[in-house]
Amino acid sequence: MSKNLSINHLFLLIAPPLFWAGNFVIGRIVRDDIGPMSLSFWRWVIAFCCLLPFVYRYIKRDWPLYKKHIGFVLKTSIVGVTSFNTLIYLGLHGTTATNALLLNSTIPVLIILFSVLFYKQRLYALPSIGLILSLFGVGIIILNGDIHALLSFSFNTSDLIIFTAMVCWAIYTLWMKNTPQGMDRTALTCVQIAIAVIALFPLWLWESGGQLPIHLNNNAKMALLYVGIFPSVIAYVCYSLAISRVGPMISGLFIHLMPVFGVILAAIFAGESIRLYHLVGITLIGLGIVLSSRQS
């Protein structure tokens, strides 16, 4: 394993796709109980309340930096926190989790494409081969090992919304690489979340009329707690730290682990079987990640 991907970095790289895989599934399950704006708004309210006590002193310390780099803080919050997640929840109301995961696999491709086009990043052979292998692995898992299933896929407006979210995330990833020096990344995440809450507040009012989600049953409550803590606080902080330590390309490539974790979670909690095509897909994704990490 290369110096770019040491053992110390693995948790930072693995936690985000693990928790985001659950976020996709939950967003689809509770779509009839919680509106997309309500789910997004309350998710970030919960995340902000959980994170603030731990980073308040750093926010206070870095406040002059936030004012100095207000443009950076605002654009990363609106694109990477507010828009990305809201667009996903909105899109999941009209498309399947499978389509969403398939579109999600374009994120590493978009990150590399934007890096080459706008940041003059050199395109090395090994990372390119690794990306292609991992894409094949994702496709094998999502298509259940049946290449003919690709012909039955249909895309609609909701899929376009999901893809727009993926573009937002790729841009956010590259922007976060340029986090101003001296700015605590965990505290920055809390500030970004606060801005997202403010931006989403009028959208939540418009969708819900100022009321809590109408069908706030036990499943909806558990869903809100999950999305407010794991894919929000833990995943965002880990992803931000991973970008700072191994770069946006490798951090983005690990998003291809989402369908892998989806398979594993389904086997553990839903009793689904792990089949040969799952193992082939997981192997290709793992090999792709290893190859991509061999060269910066």
Side-chain angles (χ1 to χ4, degrees), residues 71-80 111 114-115 118-119 167-180 185 188 192 243 248:
F72 168 83
V73 176
L74 287 175
K75 71 181 185 181
T76 53
S77 176
I78 297 300
V79 171
I111 290 173
F114 294 160
S115 294
F118 303 115
Y119 290 87
V167 173
C168 288
W169 189 255
I171 294 172
Y172 167 79
T173 299
L174 292 170
W175 280 348
M176 285 298 292
K177 181 183 179 181
N178 298 319
T179 299
R185 285 179 174 262
L188 173 62
Q192 291 170 331
I243 292 172

